[in-house]
Coordinates of all heavy atoms in Angstrom, one line a residue:
P1164 N 0.8 -1.2 0.0 CA 0.0 0.0 0.0 C 0.8 1.3 0.0 O 0.4 2.3 -0.6 CB -0.8 -0.1 1.3 CG -0.8 -1.6 1.7 CD 0.4 -2.1 1.1
L1165 N 2.0 1.3 0.7 CA 2.8 2.5 0.8 C 3.4 2.8 -0.6 O 3.5 4.0 -1.1 CB 4.0 2.3 1.7 CG 3.5 2.3 3.3 CD1 4.7 2.1 4.1 CD2 2.8 3.5 3.6
V1166 N 3.9 1.8 -1.4 CA 4.4 2.1 -2.7 C 3.3 2.7 -3.6 O 3.5 3.6 -4.3 CB 5.0 0.8 -3.3 CG1 5.4 1.0 -4.8 CG2 6.2 0.3 -2.4
R1167 N 2.1 2.0 -3.6 CA 1.0 2.5 -4.4 C 0.6 4.0 -4.0 O 0.4 4.8 -4.9 CB -0.1 1.6 -4.2 CG -1.3 2.0 -5.2 CD -2.4 0.9 -5.2 NE -2.8 0.6 -3.8 CZ -3.5 -0.5 -3.5 NH1 -4.0 -1.3 -4.4 NH2 -3.8 -0.8 -2.2
L1168 N 0.6 4.2 -2.7 CA 0.2 5.6 -2.3 C 1.3 6.6 -2.7 O 1.0 7.7 -3.2 CB 0.1 5.6 -0.7 CG -0.1 7.0 -0.1 CD1 -1.5 7.6 -0.6 CD2 -0.2 7.0 1.4
K1169 N 2.6 6.2 -2.6 CA 3.7 7.0 -3.1 C 3.5 7.4 -4.5 O 3.6 8.6 -5.0 CB 5.1 6.4 -2.8 CG 6.2 7.3 -3.3 CD 7.5 6.5 -3.1 CE 8.6 7.3 -3.8 NZ 9.9 6.6 -3.7
K1170 N 3.3 6.4 -5.3 CA 3.1 6.6 -6.8 C 2.0 7.5 -7.1 O 2.1 8.4 -7.9 CB 2.9 5.2 -7.5 CG 4.2 4.4 -7.6 CD 3.9 3.1 -8.3 CE 5.1 2.2 -8.3 NZ 4.9 1.0 -9.0
Y1171 N 0.9 7.3 -6.4 CA -0.3 8.1 -6.6 C 0.0 9.6 -6.3 O -0.3 10.5 -7.0 CB -1.5 7.6 -5.7 CG -2.6 8.6 -5.7 CD1 -3.6 8.5 -6.8 CD2 -2.9 9.4 -4.7 CE1 -4.6 9.4 -6.8 CE2 -3.9 10.3 -4.7 CZ -4.9 10.2 -5.7 OH -5.9 11.1 -5.7
M1172 N 0.7 9.8 -5.0 CA 0.9 11.2 -4.6 C 2.0 11.9 -5.5 O 1.9 13.0 -5.8 CB 1.4 11.1 -3.2 CG 0.3 10.7 -2.2 SD 0.8 10.6 -0.6 CE 1.0 12.2 -0.1
L1173 N 2.9 11.1 -6.1 CA 3.9 11.6 -7.0 C 3.1 12.0 -8.3 O 3.5 13.1 -8.9 CB 5.0 10.7 -7.2 CG 6.0 10.4 -6.1 CD1 6.9 9.2 -6.5 CD2 6.9 11.7 -5.8
K1174 N 2.4 11.1 -8.8 CA 1.6 11.4 -10.0 C 0.7 12.6 -9.9 O 0.7 13.5 -10.8 CB 0.8 10.2 -10.4 CG 0.0 10.3 -11.7 CD -0.7 9.1 -12.0 CE -1.5 9.2 -13.3 NZ -2.3 8.1 -13.6
K1175 N 0.1 12.8 -8.7 CA -0.8 14.0 -8.5 C -0.1 15.3 -8.1 O -0.7 16.3 -7.8 CB -1.9 13.6 -7.5 CG -2.8 12.5 -8.0 CD -3.8 13.1 -9.0 CE -4.8 12.0 -9.4 NZ -5.7 12.5 -10.4
K1176 N 1.3 15.1 -7.9 CA 2.1 16.2 -7.5 C 1.8 16.6 -6.1 O 1.9 17.8 -5.7 CB 2.1 17.3 -8.5 CG 2.6 16.9 -9.9 CD 3.0 18.0 -10.7 CE 3.4 17.6 -12.1 NZ 4.4 16.6 -12.3
I1177 N 1.3 15.7 -5.3 CA 1.0 16.0 -3.8 C 2.3 15.8 -3.1 O 2.6 16.5 -2.0 CB 0.0 14.9 -3.3 CG1 -1.3 15.2 -4.1 CG2 -0.2 15.2 -1.8 CD1 -2.4 14.1 -3.8
L1178 N 3.3 15.0 -3.6 CA 4.5 14.7 -3.0 C 5.7 14.8 -4.1 O 5.4 14.3 -5.2 CB 4.4 13.3 -2.4 CG 5.6 12.8 -1.7 CD1 5.8 13.4 -0.3 CD2 5.5 11.3 -1.5
S1179 N 6.8 15.3 -3.6 CA 7.9 15.2 -4.5 C 8.9 14.1 -4.1 O 8.9 13.7 -2.9 CB 8.7 16.6 -4.6 OG 9.3 16.8 -3.3
E1180 N 9.8 13.8 -4.9 CA 10.8 12.7 -4.5 C 11.6 13.3 -3.3 O 11.9 12.5 -2.5 CB 11.7 12.4 -5.7 CG 11.1 11.6 -6.8 CD 10.9 10.1 -6.4 OE1 11.4 9.6 -5.4 OE2 10.1 9.4 -7.1
G1181 N 12.0 14.6 -3.4 CA 12.7 15.1 -2.3 C 12.0 15.0 -1.0 O 12.6 14.8 0.1
E1182 N 10.7 15.4 -1.0 CA 9.9 15.3 0.2 C 9.8 13.8 0.7 O 9.9 13.6 1.9 CB 8.4 15.8 0.0 CG 8.4 17.3 -0.3 CD 7.1 17.8 -0.8 OE1 6.4 17.1 -1.6 OE2 6.7 19.0 -0.4
D1183 N 9.6 12.9 -0.2 CA 9.6 11.5 0.2 C 10.9 11.1 0.8 O 10.9 10.4 1.9 CB 9.3 10.6 -1.1 CG 9.2 9.2 -0.8 OD1 8.3 8.8 0.1 OD2 10.0 8.4 -1.3
K1184 N 11.9 11.5 0.3 CA 13.3 11.2 0.9 C 13.4 11.8 2.2 O 13.9 11.1 3.2 CB 14.4 11.6 0.0 CG 15.8 11.1 0.4 CD 16.9 11.6 -0.6 CE 18.2 11.1 -0.2 NZ 19.2 11.4 -1.1
D1185 N 13.0 13.0 2.4 CA 13.0 13.7 3.7 C 12.2 13.0 4.7 O 12.6 12.8 5.9 CB 12.5 15.2 3.6 CG 13.5 16.0 2.8 OD1 14.7 15.7 2.6 OD2 13.1 17.1 2.5
I1186 N 11.0 12.5 4.3 CA 10.1 11.8 5.3 C 10.8 10.5 5.7 O 10.8 10.2 6.9 CB 8.8 11.5 4.6 CG1 8.0 12.8 4.4 CG2 8.0 10.4 5.4 CD1 6.8 12.6 3.5
W1187 N 11.4 9.7 4.8 CA 12.1 8.5 5.2 C 13.3 8.7 6.0 O 13.5 8.0 7.0 CB 12.4 7.7 3.9 CG 11.3 7.0 3.3 CD1 10.5 7.3 2.3 CD2 10.7 5.7 3.9 NE1 9.5 6.5 2.1 CE2 9.6 5.4 3.0 CE3 10.9 4.9 4.9 CZ2 8.7 4.3 3.2 CZ3 10.1 3.8 5.1 CH2 9.1 3.6 4.3
N1188 N 14.0 9.7 5.7 CA 15.2 10.1 6.6 C 14.8 10.5 7.9 O 15.5 10.1 9.0 CB 16.0 11.2 5.9 CG 16.9 10.8 4.7 OD1 17.1 9.6 4.5 ND2 17.2 11.6 3.8
D1189 N 13.7 11.2 8.1 CA 13.3 11.7 9.4 C 12.7 10.5 10.2 O 13.0 10.3 11.3 CB 12.1 12.7 9.2 CG 11.7 13.3 10.5 OD1 12.5 13.7 11.3 OD2 10.4 13.3 10.7
A1190 N 12.0 9.5 9.5 CA 11.5 8.4 10.2 C 12.7 7.5 10.6 O 12.7 7.0 11.8 CB 10.6 7.6 9.2
E1191 N 13.7 7.3 9.8 CA 14.9 6.5 10.2 C 15.6 7.1 11.4 O 16.0 6.4 12.3 CB 15.8 6.4 9.0 CG 15.4 5.4 7.9 CD 16.2 5.4 6.7 OE1 17.2 6.1 6.6 OE2 15.9 4.6 5.8
R1192 N 15.7 8.4 11.4 CA 16.4 9.2 12.5 C 15.6 8.9 13.8 O 16.2 8.6 14.9 CB 16.6 10.6 12.2 CG 17.3 11.4 13.3 CD 17.2 12.9 13.1 NE 15.9 13.4 12.7 CZ 15.0 13.7 13.7 NH1 15.2 13.4 14.9 NH2 13.8 14.2 13.3
K1193 N 14.2 9.0 13.8 CA 13.4 8.9 14.9 C 13.5 7.5 15.5 O 13.6 7.3 16.7 CB 12.0 9.3 14.6 CG 11.8 10.8 14.5 CD 10.4 11.0 14.1 CE 10.1 12.6 13.9 NZ 8.7 12.9 13.6
V1194 N 13.5 6.5 14.5 CA 13.6 5.1 15.0 C 15.0 4.9 15.6 O 15.1 4.2 16.7 CB 13.3 4.1 13.8 CG1 13.7 2.7 14.2 CG2 11.9 4.2 13.4
S1195 N 16.0 5.3 15.0 CA 17.4 5.1 15.6 C 17.5 5.8 16.9 O 18.1 5.2 17.8 CB 18.4 5.7 14.5 OG 19.6 5.6 15.0
D1196 N 17.0 7.1 17.1 CA 17.0 7.7 18.3 C 16.3 6.9 19.4 O 16.7 6.8 20.6 CB 16.4 9.1 18.2 CG 17.4 10.1 17.5 OD1 18.5 9.7 17.1 OD2 16.8 11.2 17.1
S1197 N 15.1 6.4 19.0 CA 14.3 5.7 20.0 C 15.0 4.4 20.4 O 15.0 4.0 21.6 CB 12.9 5.3 19.4 OG 12.2 6.5 19.2
V1198 N 15.7 3.7 19.5 CA 16.4 2.4 19.8 C 17.5 2.8 20.7 O 17.8 2.1 21.7 CB 16.9 1.7 18.5 CG1 17.9 0.7 18.8 CG2 15.7 1.2 17.7
T1199 N 18.3 3.8 20.4 CA 19.3 4.3 21.3 C 18.9 4.5 22.8 O 19.5 4.1 23.7 CB 20.1 5.5 20.7 OG1 20.6 5.2 19.4 CG2 21.3 5.9 21.6
K1200 N 17.8 5.2 22.9 CA 17.2 5.6 24.2 C 16.8 4.3 24.9 O 17.0 4.1 26.1 CB 16.0 6.5 24.1 CG 16.5 8.0 23.8 CD 15.2 8.8 23.6 CE 15.5 10.2 23.2 NZ 14.3 11.0 22.9
Y1201 N 16.2 3.3 24.1 CA 15.7 2.1 24.7 C 16.9 1.4 25.2 O 16.9 0.7 26.4 CB 14.9 1.3 23.7 CG 14.6 -0.1 24.3 CD1 13.6 -0.3 25.2 CD2 15.3 -1.2 23.8 CE1 13.3 -1.5 25.7 CE2 15.1 -2.4 24.3 CZ 14.1 -2.6 25.3 OH 13.9 -3.9 25.8
E1202 N 18.0 1.2 24.4 CA 19.1 0.4 24.8 C 19.9 1.0 26.0 O 20.6 0.3 26.7 CB 20.1 0.3 23.6 CG 19.5 -0.6 22.5 CD 20.4 -0.7 21.3 OE1 21.2 0.2 21.0 OE2 20.1 -1.7 20.5
A1203 N 19.7 2.3 26.2 CA 20.4 2.9 27.4 C 19.7 2.8 28.6 O 20.1 3.1 29.7 CB 20.7 4.4 27.1
M1204 N 18.4 2.3 28.6 CA 17.5 2.2 29.7 C 18.0 1.1 30.6 O 18.6 0.0 30.2 CB 16.1 1.9 29.4 CG 15.4 3.0 28.7 SD 13.7 2.6 28.1 CE 12.9 2.2 29.6
Q1205 N 17.9 1.3 31.9 CA 18.3 0.3 32.9 C 17.2 -0.8 32.9 O 16.0 -0.5 32.7 CB 18.3 0.9 34.3 CG 18.7 -0.1 35.3 CD 18.8 0.6 36.7 OE1 18.5 1.8 36.9 NE2 19.3 -0.1 37.7
D1206 N 17.6 -2.1 33.0 CA 16.6 -3.1 33.0 C 15.6 -3.0 34.2 O 16.1 -2.7 35.3 CB 17.3 -4.5 33.0 CG 18.1 -4.9 31.8 OD1 17.8 -4.3 30.7 OD2 18.9 -5.7 31.8
A1207 N 14.4 -3.2 34.0 CA 13.4 -3.3 35.1 C 13.5 -4.7 35.7 O 13.7 -5.7 35.0 CB 12.1 -3.0 34.5
P1208 N 13.3 -4.7 37.1 CA 13.2 -6.0 37.7 C 12.0 -6.8 37.1 O 10.9 -6.3 36.9 CB 13.0 -5.7 39.2 CG 12.6 -4.3 39.1 CD 13.0 -3.6 38.0
P1209 N 12.2 -8.1 37.0 CA 11.1 -9.0 36.4 C 9.8 -8.8 37.1 O 8.7 -8.8 36.5 CB 11.6 -10.4 36.5 CG 13.2 -10.2 36.6 CD 13.4 -8.9 37.3
E1210 N 9.8 -8.7 38.5 CA 8.5 -8.6 39.2 C 7.7 -7.3 38.9 O 6.6 -7.2 39.2 CB 8.8 -8.7 40.6 CG 9.5 -7.6 41.4 CD 11.0 -7.8 41.3 OE1 11.5 -8.7 40.7 OE2 11.7 -7.0 42.0
S1211 N 8.3 -6.3 38.2 CA 7.7 -5.1 37.9 C 6.6 -5.3 36.8 O 5.7 -4.4 36.7 CB 8.7 -4.0 37.5 OG 9.2 -4.4 36.1
I1212 N 6.6 -6.4 36.2 CA 5.5 -6.6 35.1 C 4.1 -6.6 35.8 O 3.2 -6.3 35.2 CB 5.7 -7.9 34.4 CG1 5.6 -9.2 35.3 CG2 7.0 -7.9 33.5 CD1 5.6 -10.5 34.6
F1213 N 4.1 -6.9 37.1 CA 2.8 -6.9 37.8 C 2.3 -5.5 38.2 O 1.1 -5.3 38.4 CB 3.0 -7.6 39.1 CG 3.2 -9.1 38.9 CD1 4.5 -9.6 39.0 CD2 2.2 -10.0 38.7 CE1 4.9 -11.0 38.8 CE2 2.5 -11.4 38.5 CZ 3.8 -11.8 38.6
N1214 N 3.2 -4.5 38.1 CA 2.9 -3.1 38.5 C 1.9 -2.4 37.6 O 1.3 -1.4 38.0 CB 4.1 -2.3 38.7 CG 5.0 -2.8 39.8 OD1 4.6 -3.5 40.6 ND2 6.3 -2.4 39.6
Y1215 N 1.7 -2.9 36.4 CA 0.9 -2.1 35.4 C -0.2 -2.9 34.8 O -0.8 -2.5 33.9 CB 1.8 -1.6 34.3 CG 2.9 -0.8 34.9 CD1 4.2 -1.4 35.0 CD2 2.8 0.5 35.4 CE1 5.3 -0.7 35.5 CE2 3.9 1.2 36.0 CZ 5.1 0.6 36.0 OH 6.2 1.3 36.5
M1216 N -0.5 -4.0 35.4 CA -1.6 -4.9 34.9 C -3.0 -4.5 35.4 O -3.9 -4.4 34.7 CB -1.4 -6.3 35.3 CG -0.5 -7.1 34.4 SD -0.7 -8.8 35.0 CE 0.6 -9.5 34.1
F1217 N -3.1 -4.3 36.6 CA -4.3 -4.0 37.4 C -4.2 -2.8 38.3 O -3.2 -2.5 38.8 CB -4.8 -5.2 38.2 CG -4.9 -6.5 37.5 CD1 -3.8 -7.4 37.4 CD2 -6.1 -6.8 36.9 CE1 -4.0 -8.6 36.7 CE2 -6.2 -8.0 36.2 CZ -5.2 -8.9 36.1
A1218 N -5.4 -2.1 38.5 CA -5.4 -1.0 39.4 C -5.2 -1.5 40.8 O -4.4 -0.9 41.6 CB -6.7 -0.3 39.3
Q1219 N -5.7 -2.7 41.1 CA -5.5 -3.4 42.4 C -5.1 -4.9 42.0 O -5.9 -5.6 41.4 CB -6.7 -3.3 43.3 CG -6.4 -3.7 44.7 CD -7.6 -3.2 45.6 OE1 -8.7 -3.1 45.2 NE2 -7.2 -3.0 46.8
L1220 N -4.0 -5.3 42.4 CA -3.4 -6.6 42.1 C -4.2 -7.7 42.8 O -4.3 -7.6 44.1 CB -2.0 -6.7 42.4 CG -1.1 -7.7 41.7 CD1 -1.2 -7.5 40.2 CD2 0.3 -7.6 42.1
P1221 N -4.8 -8.7 42.1 CA -5.4 -9.8 42.8 C -4.5 -10.5 43.7 O -3.3 -10.6 43.5 CB -6.0 -10.7 41.7 CG -5.9 -9.8 40.5 CD -4.9 -8.8 40.7
L1222 N -5.0 -11.1 44.8 CA -4.1 -11.8 45.8 C -3.2 -12.9 45.1 O -2.0 -12.9 45.4 CB -5.0 -12.5 46.8 CG -4.3 -13.4 47.8 CD1 -3.3 -12.5 48.7 CD2 -5.3 -14.1 48.8
E1223 N -3.8 -13.6 44.1 CA -3.0 -14.7 43.5 C -1.7 -14.1 42.7 O -0.6 -14.6 42.9 CB -3.8 -15.4 42.5 CG -3.1 -16.6 41.8 CD -4.1 -17.3 40.9 OE1 -5.1 -17.9 41.3 OE2 -3.7 -17.3 39.6
L1224 N -2.0 -12.9 42.2 CA -0.8 -12.3 41.4 C 0.1 -11.7 42.4 O 1.3 -11.6 42.2 CB -1.3 -11.3 40.4 CG -2.0 -12.0 39.2 CD1 -2.6 -10.9 38.3 CD2 -1.2 -12.9 38.5
R1225 N -0.4 -11.1 43.5 CA 0.5 -10.6 44.5 C 1.5 -11.7 45.1 O 2.6 -11.4 45.3 CB -0.2 -10.0 45.8 CG -0.7 -8.6 45.4 CD -1.3 -7.9 46.6 NE -2.6 -8.6 46.7 CZ -3.6 -8.3 47.6 NH1 -3.3 -7.4 48.5 NH2 -4.7 -9.0 47.6
E1226 N 0.9 -12.9 45.2 CA 1.7 -14.0 45.7 C 2.8 -14.3 44.7 O 3.9 -14.6 45.0 CB 0.9 -15.2 45.9 CG 0.0 -14.9 47.2 CD -1.1 -16.0 47.3 OE1 -1.3 -16.9 46.4 OE2 -1.8 -16.0 48.4
Q1227 N 2.4 -14.3 43.4 CA 3.4 -14.6 42.3 C 4.4 -13.5 42.3 O 5.7 -13.8 42.2 CB 2.7 -14.6 41.0 CG 1.9 -15.9 40.8 CD 1.2 -15.8 39.4 OE1 1.7 -15.2 38.4 NE2 0.2 -16.6 39.2
Q1228 N 4.1 -12.3 42.5 CA 5.1 -11.2 42.5 C 6.0 -11.3 43.7 O 7.3 -11.2 43.5 CB 4.3 -9.9 42.7 CG 5.3 -8.7 42.5 CD 4.5 -7.3 42.7 OE1 3.6 -7.2 43.5 NE2 5.0 -6.3 42.0
E1229 N 5.6 -11.7 44.8 CA 6.4 -11.9 46.0 C 7.4 -13.1 45.7 O 8.5 -13.0 46.1 CB 5.6 -12.1 47.2 CG 4.8 -10.9 47.7 CD 5.7 -9.8 48.0 OE1 6.8 -9.9 48.6 OE2 5.4 -8.6 47.5
R1230 N 6.9 -14.2 45.1 CA 7.8 -15.3 44.8 C 8.9 -14.9 43.9 O 10.0 -15.2 44.0 CB 7.0 -16.5 44.2 CG 6.2 -17.3 45.2 CD 5.8 -18.6 44.7 NE 5.0 -18.5 43.5 CZ 3.6 -18.4 43.5 NH1 2.9 -18.4 44.6 NH2 3.0 -18.4 42.3
M1231 N 8.6 -14.1 42.9 CA 9.5 -13.5 41.9 C 10.6 -12.7 42.6 O 11.7 -12.8 42.4 CB 8.9 -12.8 40.8 CG 8.2 -13.6 39.8 SD 7.6 -12.6 38.3 CE 9.1 -12.6 37.4
K1232 N 10.1 -11.8 43.5 CA 11.0 -11.0 44.3 C 12.0 -11.9 45.1 O 13.2 -11.6 45.1 CB 10.3 -10.1 45.3 CG 9.6 -8.9 44.6 CD 8.9 -8.1 45.6 CE 8.2 -6.9 45.0 NZ 7.4 -6.1 46.0
G1233 N 11.5 -13.0 45.7 CA 12.4 -13.9 46.5 C 13.3 -14.6 45.7 O 14.5 -14.8 46.0
E1234 N 12.9 -15.0 44.4 CA 13.9 -15.7 43.5 C 14.9 -14.8 42.9 O 16.0 -15.2 42.7 CB 13.1 -16.3 42.3 CG 12.1 -17.5 42.8 CD 11.2 -17.9 41.6 OE1 11.3 -17.3 40.5 OE2 10.3 -18.7 41.9
A1235 N 14.6 -13.5 42.7 CA 15.5 -12.6 42.1 C 16.5 -12.1 43.2 O 17.7 -11.8 42.9 CB 14.8 -11.4 41.6
G1236 N 16.1 -12.1 44.5 CA 17.0 -11.4 45.5 C 17.6 -12.5 46.3 O 18.6 -12.7 46.7

């Protein structure tokens, strides 16, 4: 679909080759910057996966979280 859209936009003069190249270069830069930021992040402890699942963690999952904390430490 992207190739077809690009061809259509070029044909209708909605987009130029230079603009297309600028869009791709900008996207590549943003992805590269995001990857660099992600790779620089400190690893989260495995038990933190429970922190964002529920507003209030069910008892069974709290128990699992505690077991993970015990295994990691």
Side-chain angles (χ1 to χ4, degrees):
L1165 290 177
V1166 172
R1167 185 172 49 192
L1168 177 62
K1169 177 185 170 183
K1170 286 180 182 180
Y1171 172 81
M1172 292 177 74
L1173 289 170
K1174 182 178 178 182
K1175 296 289 186 180
K1176 301 201 185 302
I1177 299 170
L1178 179 73
S1179 70
E1180 287 289 349
E1182 290 169 326
D1183 181 61
K1184 187 175 181 178
D1185 289 344
I1186 290 168
W1187 281 101
N1188 288 339
D1189 186 48
E1191 287 175 356
R1192 182 187 51 77
K1193 287 178 180 179
V1194 169
S1195 179
D1196 289 349
S1197 295
V1198 168
T1199 300
K1200 286 178 186 176
Y1201 172 77
E1202 289 176 341
M1204 291 174 64
Q1205 183 177 6
D1206 290 342
E1210 67 273 7
S1211 70
I1212 63 170
F1213 296 97
N1214 296 341
Y1215 307 103
M1216 272 190 193
F1217 300 95
Q1219 193 165 26
L1220 204 57
L1222 177 61
E1223 184 178 299
L1224 292 179
R1225 275 186 288 184
E1226 291 169 352
Q1227 287 181 21
Q1228 184 182 38
E1229 290 304 315
R1230 281 196 304 270
M1231 285 186 87
K1232 285 180 183 177
E1234 292 171 4

